[in-house]
Amino acid sequence: SENPRDVRLTRGKITKINFGASKRREVALDLTRDAFGGGIDLKPKFANGVDRLVSLLRQGKGQLTITYRCGAYAPIADERLEAVEELVQAKWKQEGGNKPLKITTRVECGK
């Protein structure tokens, strides 16, 4: 949770601060249309990077957030995200990932 930035302390008064902390590791992958050919598949040089991504995820507990950034929303954005998520999950299983990998996807479009 958000950690308070400023707390005013007054002599003789008790101040209570509540915030959350986590040891979980978050890995973010941001994609644009440049990472894809004309369709939903990643270009080879980006697809090869998925192996490195999976090895990074295997180093520690955590989750992956894949964000697709685009100028204007198009249905292909969701299809591309789904294809990348399936590719990462397949590599994860291929590398011996016995626990499910948590992946969050989102599309950010607009100016």
Side-chain angles (χ1 to χ4, degrees):
S1 65
E2 178 73 17
N3 197 0
R5 295 181 188 196
D6 296 313
V7 176
R8 185 175 298 266
L9 299 176
T10 305
R11 184 182 310 188
K13 302 248 179 174
I14 295 176
T15 302
K16 184 176 180 179
I17 301 173
N18 292 321
F19 60 92
S22 175
K23 290 180 101 176
R24 187 172 36 150
R25 186 175 179 185
E26 304 237 357
V27 177
L29 174 63
D30 291 341
L31 298 170
T32 63
R33 66 181 182 169
D34 298 334
F36 297 88
I40 62 171
D41 294 326
L42 286 170
K43 290 180 182 175
K45 71 178 183 177
F46 292 101
N48 292 336
V50 172
D51 292 330
R52 289 181 292 185
L53 175 67
V54 169
S55 68
L56 179 67
L57 288 167
R58 288 184 52 78
Q59 290 175 11
K61 295 179 183 176
Q63 75 176 43
L64 173 63
T65 301
I66 305 172
T67 305
Y68 183 81
R69 300 182 192 279
C70 53
Y73 177 76
I76 197 165
D78 292 322
E79 294 173 31
R80 286 176 171 173
L81 273 177
E82 187 177 323
V84 172
E85 182 178 4
E86 289 173 4
L87 177 63
V88 171
Q89 290 286 11
K91 294 282 185 179
W92 177 258
K93 288 180 183 174
Q94 188 179 30
E95 292 289 322
N98 31 352
K99 290 188 177 181
L101 178 61
K102 182 168 181 175
I103 299 177
T104 304
T105 60
R106 69 175 181 240
V107 178
E108 291 182 2
C109 295
K111 295 181 181 177

